[in-house]
Amino acid sequence: MATMTAAQRRERARADYDAFLKACPTNQLLDRISDKWVSLVVSALAPGPLRYSDLSRKIAGVSPKMLTQTLRSLERDGLLSRTVTPSVPVRVDYELTELGRSLSLLLSAVKEWAETHIEEVWEAREQYDADS
């Protein structure tokens, strides 16, 4: 059996990805990006960088702990960057990376779809509940 380089191993693994398998990294990534807070943070950052306090105000209902965890996970995944500007108080800005911007197009579309079709969903729920 021939030895493979790291690039060859990655390419082979890429061909084997199957998001329907729980152990597949793509399944884990889908789990991460389908999180409500992730989609709202990414959508909020789509127009441009925001400070933590701006994000907190913009995203109703997110706790400080959940916002911090979400921002850290997005930074770890390479979807946003965190810039610290030394001042008093320290200024921290969050901005989508190129990878994050590509995701924001999809998540913003899902957010807009939800805002556009919520009344239809409510009607369907009422009909379903009436028929049940």
Side-chain angles (χ1 to χ4, degrees):
M1 181 169 154
T3 309
M4 292 194 305
T5 66
Q8 290 170 325
R9 285 192 302 274
R10 283 192 302 273
E11 188 58 38
R12 172 98 187 253
R14 196 172 292 120
D16 295 337
Y17 289 153
D18 183 351
F20 290 111
L21 300 175
K22 182 70 176 164
C24 182
T26 57
N27 179 287
Q28 296 162 7
L29 181 58
L30 284 172
D31 186 47
R32 167 78 48 89
I33 64 177
S34 65
D35 178 80
K36 169 177 73 170
W37 301 120
V38 167
S39 61
L40 291 174
V41 167
V42 170
S43 294
L45 289 171
L50 291 173
R51 295 173 75 174
Y52 182 93
S53 58
D54 297 328
L55 281 167
S56 182
R57 279 191 296 274
K58 187 169 183 101
I59 303 171
V62 67
S63 69
K65 178 184 176 187
M66 189 52 62
L67 180 56
T68 298
Q69 286 178 348
T70 301
L71 291 168
R72 285 182 182 160
S73 70
L74 291 172
E75 184 179 11
R76 181 173 184 253
D77 289 343
L79 298 171
L80 66 77
S81 63
R82 179 178 181 265
T83 305
V84 179
T85 306
S87 61
V88 178
V90 173
R91 179 184 173 108
V92 180
D93 291 290
Y94 295 91
E95 182 174 17
L96 294 176
T97 61
E98 187 68 30
L99 185 61
R101 283 190 292 278
S102 69
L103 177 62
S104 77
L105 299 173
L106 301 170
L107 294 182
S108 293
V110 171
K111 177 185 150 297
E112 289 172 22
W113 182 90
E115 292 168 347
T116 301
H117 296 285
I118 186 61
E119 291 181 14
E120 294 169 69
V121 171
W122 283 340
E123 289 172 12
R125 287 177 182 174
E126 288 174 4
Q127 185 64 47
Y128 181 88
D129 292 345
D131 293 346
S132 294

